[in-house]
Amino acid sequence: MISLVTKCGKKIFIFLFLSISLSGQVNTDSLKLALKNAKHDTTRCAILTTLIEMEMDDEVWPKFNEQLLKLAHAGLAANPSKTIKIFYIKQKAYAFNNIGVLANSHGDANKAIIYYNKALELQEEIKDKLGTANTLNNIGYVYHHLGDIPKALECYHKCLKISEEIDNKVGVSTVLNNLGLLYVNQDETAKAIEYYKRSLKICEEINDVQGIGSALNNIGSAYDNVKEGNQAMEYYNKSLNVYKTYNDKLGIATVLNNIGLNYHEKNKLKEALNCYLQSLALHEEIMNESDIVYTASNIATLKLHQGLIDEAYVYAMKSYTAAIELGYPDNINTAANILRIVYRKQNKYKEALEMYELEIKMRDSINNQETKRLAIKKQFQYTYEKQAAQDSIKHAEEQKVKNAELLAQEAQFSQEKTQRFVLYGGLVLVIMLSGFVFNRFRVTQKQKAIIAEQKVHVDLAYDKLHVKNKEVMDSISYARRIQNSLLPTEKYISKKLNGR
């Protein structure tokens, strides 16, 4: 991962480039010795990629990169096996990507895009998703600073999608950081802070020290933009501590400049000057001309506030010299502005007028860029509003599907509930019916028992009645027999009456 600073006023934000390295930190002297003694080109390639990642000097690491590119060309020319061919293609793409990074750091955007696209073509050919994502991020940065926001967004989002796909958290955190920078440049500070914090969270999860330092610095700078200096200072101090742990001079210098500006705005001039001077010394040590312009200008401004005009002149000239060497309108405008003020304080009106004319010239150039930036901002807003609308429609469609699924589930639950009610109701009815039948059975059994008992009583009564009847009939028969024995028979009476 290679960092690059970008400016917002006189504060410095840190942009992150992605590169590919599979090796850990090793002593460079040991690596150089291993490179010299290596017997196979594949081993030499692996050592060179590690040296490129470890070496910070822009005069040194490109030489390692040239060696890597030559080895990759030679390896591919030897018609290797498929596996070895893929290895060399990957090394060649890596070298092209590094050439793009170097060209971009020197302000040659066209060359950077050419080599990034060469790398991208090779990476897509061998389906190297990690390499593809890294190169897309770097292309997105170039388009970002060329003002082509739609292309920058397209590259960033492709990078983000692939990085999430392959679970490359370093890639995800890096592109989130760079999306935050894009939002800052479009004056969307709140959104920028949101992206920086998402990046920071991932960096902390994977213990990416450089990513943590960058995210913390950028969050602090964003808070400074919206005049929340105390919160900004909290993040600056955290970032500074991180950079000090691995002696990243560029990172330390960057944060010290921003802390100095924070103190300066609070009128804590002594603390501000101390930070500025430390920052300037480090920028000069690593020959970072662009940031020398801003930090020296900040010191000159502070010296003017203290009434130290001659000392202010020394730093204003240092800023101006570095700006002219770079040739960028923003740098020259900053340096010319502070030098003009110093000349006026020194009553050097002719020199002050010259600086004023130069300042106006640079300001016109910047205003043209600002006009372009505002047009880009509108395009940016349109692009994101369009994307937001598409996301809203997509979300609405997804919500419809979810709602339909919920309705289906609710209908199923309702049906199951109804079925359960029917089942439970049926069971209750069966139980009630069974109870009723059982109850009727018991009543019937009781009635039968009563009837049987009554029948027994009736039978007994009948038997008794039968006996009584028999006794009565027997008495009657007996009486008739007695009567018949005492009275003449009908035949006898009839004879007497007939005179027989």
Side-chain angles (χ1 to χ4, degrees):
M1 186 184 294
I2 302 171
S3 64
L4 184 72
V5 293
T6 59
K7 289 85 186 173
C8 182
K10 296 178 185 177
K11 289 186 288 295
I12 303 173
F13 290 84
I14 300 175
F15 174 88
L16 297 175
F17 285 105
L18 282 168
S19 55
I20 307 164
S21 177
L22 302 178
S23 304
Q25 294 293 324
V26 185
N27 182 275
T28 54
D29 292 334
S30 300
L31 285 171
K32 289 174 184 176
L33 180 61
L35 179 64
K36 183 178 179 180
N37 296 328
K39 296 180 180 180
H40 300 287
D41 284 349
T42 52
T43 305
R44 293 188 184 95
C45 287
I47 295 170
L48 284 167
T49 56
T50 306
L51 282 168
I52 291 166
E53 288 296 316
M54 293 181 63
E55 182 58 61
M56 300 300 293
D57 191 338
D58 283 356
E59 298 297 323
V60 177
W61 73 261
K63 294 176 182 178
F64 293 136
N65 198 62
E66 288 174 12
Q67 293 181 54
L68 178 65
L69 188 57
K70 287 178 182 178
L71 287 173
H73 278 304
L76 289 170
N79 295 317
S81 65
K82 184 178 179 181
T83 303
I84 300 299
K85 181 179 179 182
I86 290 174
F87 172 82
Y88 281 123
I89 289 175
K90 187 176 289 189
Q91 301 306 311
K92 186 176 179 181
Y94 173 73
F96 281 155
N97 181 78
N98 289 338
I99 294 172
V101 170
L102 187 65
N104 190 69
S105 67
H106 290 165
D108 193 342
N110 290 331
K111 183 178 178 181
I113 288 177
I114 288 170
Y115 277 93
Y116 284 147
N117 281 323
K118 284 184 178 182
L120 187 64
E121 184 178 350
L122 292 173
Q123 288 156 346
E124 289 177 340
E125 177 188 336
I126 60 174
K127 296 180 173 57
D128 177 12
K129 290 190 174 183
L130 176 62
T132 299
N134 293 345
T135 303
L136 282 167
N137 172 77
N138 296 348
I139 295 172
Y141 171 80
V142 178
Y143 281 128
H144 176 176
H145 287 272
L146 287 175
D148 195 338
I149 301 303
K151 284 187 179 179
L153 287 172
E154 182 183 356
C155 291
Y156 284 152
H157 284 297
K158 282 182 179 178
C159 172
L160 185 60
K161 182 179 179 182
I162 295 171
S163 297
E164 289 176 336
E165 211 174 89
I166 61 176
D167 196 28
N168 176 23
K169 292 187 177 180
V170 172
V172 172
S173 66
T174 298
V175 77
L176 286 173
N177 175 82
N178 297 342
L179 279 165
L181 281 168
L182 189 148
Y183 275 110
V184 164
N185 291 343
Q186 300 303 318
D187 298 326
E188 299 284 348
T189 306
K191 196 72 176 174
I193 291 173
E194 176 190 331
Y195 274 90
Y196 290 145
K197 287 187 175 180
R198 286 173 61 188
S199 176
L200 176 61
K201 184 178 179 181
I202 295 172
C203 289
E204 289 173 338
E205 287 175 2
I206 61 177
N207 196 29
D208 176 7
V209 181
Q210 187 179 19
I212 291 170
S214 301
L216 289 168
N217 173 77
N218 291 350
I219 293 169
S221 297
Y223 276 124
D224 253 342
N225 273 3
V226 291
K227 307 301 181 185
E228 295 186 24
N230 292 334
Q231 276 191 290
M233 189 63 81
E234 288 180 19
Y235 284 97
Y236 287 148
N237 286 325
K238 289 178 182 178
S239 178
L240 186 61
N241 289 333
V242 169
Y243 282 127
K244 283 182 176 179
T245 58
Y246 61 102
N247 195 32
D248 183 334
K249 292 180 181 180
L250 176 60
I252 294 170
T254 297
V255 181
L256 283 171
N257 175 82
N258 293 345
I259 291 175
L261 186 58
N262 186 285
Y263 280 132
H264 198 159
E265 290 174 349
K266 293 175 180 177
N267 205 35
K268 295 182 178 181
L269 301 186
K270 183 179 178 180
E271 293 89 342
L273 179 60
N274 182 45
C275 290
Y276 285 151
L277 290 172
Q278 291 182 64
S279 175
L280 182 61
L282 289 169
H283 284 311
E284 289 178 331
E285 183 181 338
I286 60 178
M287 295 181 291
N288 183 16
E289 297 293 329
S290 179
D291 292 329
I292 288 173
V293 172
Y294 291 97
T295 305
S297 175
N298 289 341
I299 296 173
T301 302
L302 186 147
K303 291 293 184 180
L304 285 176
H305 288 170
Q306 293 177 322
L308 304 173
I309 298 172
D310 291 340
E311 291 185 28
Y313 173 75
V314 172
Y315 288 102
M317 280 303 298
K318 187 184 288 288
S319 176
Y320 180 74
T321 302
I324 292 299
E325 185 176 338
L326 286 169
Y328 296 142
D330 186 61
N331 297 92
I332 295 172
N333 177 71
T334 298
N337 173 267
I338 188 62
L339 191 54
R340 171 180 61 82
I341 296 170
V342 172
Y343 278 141
R344 283 184 60 190
K345 294 286 185 180
Q346 293 176 329
N347 297 321
K348 296 179 179 179
Y349 298 111
K350 180 182 175 182
E351 291 85 349
L353 179 60
E354 289 175 356
M355 288 299 104
Y356 178 71
E357 290 173 349
L358 179 60
E359 185 182 351
I360 292 299
K361 184 179 178 180
M362 294 301 104
R363 189 181 298 170
D364 288 342
S365 175
I366 293 169
N367 286 340
N368 290 335
Q369 292 179 2
E370 180 64 15
T371 301
K372 182 179 178 182
R373 191 184 75 85
L374 290 173
I376 291 167
K377 183 177 179 180
K378 289 182 180 179
Q379 185 179 16
F380 172 86
Q381 289 174 338
Y382 168 77
T383 301
Y384 261 90
E385 285 170 4
K386 183 178 178 181
Q387 183 65 44
Q390 289 175 348
D391 291 343
S392 178
I393 292 169
K394 183 180 178 182
H395 177 72
E397 292 299 324
E398 290 176 350
Q399 194 61 44
K400 284 181 182 178
V401 173
K402 288 180 180 178
N403 289 340
E405 290 175 350
L406 286 172
L407 287 172
Q409 288 178 353
E410 287 177 3
Q412 184 178 355
F413 291 152
S414 178
Q415 183 179 3
E416 290 176 354
K417 187 176 180 181
T418 302
Q419 289 175 345
R420 285 196 297 271
F421 282 152
V422 171
L423 177 62
Y424 296 154
L427 287 172
V428 170
L429 287 173
V430 168
I431 292 169
M432 289 176 65
L433 183 61
S434 298
F436 176 76
V437 171
F438 179 72
N439 185 58
R440 295 308 304 165
F441 174 75
R442 289 179 61 192
V443 170
T444 302
Q445 290 298 107
K446 285 182 179 180
Q447 290 176 341
K448 284 183 177 180
I450 292 169
I451 292 169
E453 186 180 352
Q454 290 177 343
K455 184 175 182 297
V456 170
H457 290 302
V458 170
D459 288 341
L460 288 174
Y462 177 80
D463 289 341
K464 288 180 180 180
L465 181 60
H466 180 70
V467 171
K468 291 290 184 182
N469 287 338
K470 188 173 182 301
E471 290 177 352
V472 170
M473 292 303 296
D474 288 342
S475 298
I476 292 172
S477 297
Y478 179 73
R480 184 176 291 171
R481 282 197 304 272
I482 294 174
Q483 183 179 4
N484 289 336
S485 64
L486 294 176
L487 293 174
T489 63
E490 291 179 358
K491 192 183 286 187
Y492 176 78
I493 293 171
S494 179
K495 285 180 178 182
K496 289 295 184 182
L497 288 174
N498 291 325
R500 291 179 181 176

